[in-house]
Structures are given as C-alpha cells and as structure tokens.
Amino acid sequence: MSDRKLQDSLGNLEKALTKLEAALLIPRDRELVVEGTIQRFEYVIELMWKTLKRALEFEGVHPKTPRESVKEAFKIGWLDDEDEWHDMLDSRNTTSHNYLDEELAEDNYDDIIHVTPILRKTFDFLRARYPEKP
C-alpha cells in the first residue's frame, strides 16, 4: 500500500464528507434534498470503509471486507463504537432500496444527521495520523 493511494483516498473522502455536511445544511423541505443527502451518505460510507482498509493496509493489517475493516479499526482503537459502524454499513446497504418509501427515507435522513459527526471525527483522526505531505 503506497502512501499516495492512502492520501488520494483521504482527499476523496474529505471532499465527499464536506459535500454531505453541506447537504445537511439545506432545509429538507423537498424530496430531492432528502434523496440527495442519502446518496451522499452512501458515497461517504463507501469511501470511508475503503479509506480505513487502505490505512490498515499501510499499518500491515489486511482486511478484505467492509466489516473486517471496521472490526480491525475498532480493535486498534481507531473507532469508538463498533456496533454504530456496523449499523452504518447496514444502513448504506439498505438506503438505496428505501428512498422510495418516504417515511423510511426520513428515518434514514435522521440517522445520517446522527452519524455525520462520527464520520467527521474518524476522518479527522485519519487525517491527523496521515497528514498530507507538501
């Protein structure tokens, strides 16, 4: 695992997370806002687990799946609540099927509000651990 790949992952994750945070600032009085925010969340979760995997590989640990990546990151103290992270992975797997159900979409949106600070905290930890080199 090269440092360049890890830095690219961190950069892409930062952009996606910033877009998710921006989406949460838009009033959710329109269906498209909720759907777009859910889609941004799905993208962030996908990038997050892949970035965790790359960071773990950089440290000599080689998880193969999203769940293994979360488990290993939790084991070494990078994540605080393993169950919350497994819930996020589950949510990412179901949101793409649930956005047509307005009530479920609203529930998913509320969950995204709750977990976005956890995603930001984890990103900030990874960025501090692997700072960009000039």
Side-chain angles (χ1 to χ4, degrees), residues 4 7 131-134:
R4 183 74 254 147
Q7 289 300 322
E132 279 187 282
K133 296 175 182 146

Side-chain angles (χ1 to χ4, degrees), residues 113-127:
I113 291 169
H114 169 74
V115 299
T116 298
I118 297 167
L119 294 166
R120 171 52 72 181
K121 178 181 175 187
T122 303
F123 170 79
D124 290 345
F125 166 81
L126 291 170
R127 177 49 81 200

Side-chain angles (χ1 to χ4, degrees), residues 67-127:
R67 291 200 179 280
E68 283 181 34
S69 299
V70 164
K71 182 178 178 182
E72 293 298 327
F74 176 75
K75 194 186 308 184
I76 62 174
W78 289 3
L79 306 177
D80 293 330
D81 187 338
E82 187 176 4
D83 290 337
E84 183 87 64
W85 280 90
H86 287 294
D87 288 348
M88 281 190 252
L89 291 175
D90 290 342
S91 180
R92 189 269 173 252
N93 290 331
T94 59
T95 54
S96 59
H97 305 292
N98 292 341
Y99 77 92
L100 294 174
D101 181 324
E102 200 171 312
E103 188 175 326
L104 282 174
E106 287 292 331
D107 289 345
N108 287 334
Y109 188 95
D110 290 339
D111 290 343
I112 292 167
I113 291 169
H114 169 74
V115 299
T116 298
I118 297 167
L119 294 166
R120 171 52 72 181
K121 178 181 175 187
T122 303
F123 170 79
D124 290 345
F125 166 81
L126 291 170
R127 177 49 81 200

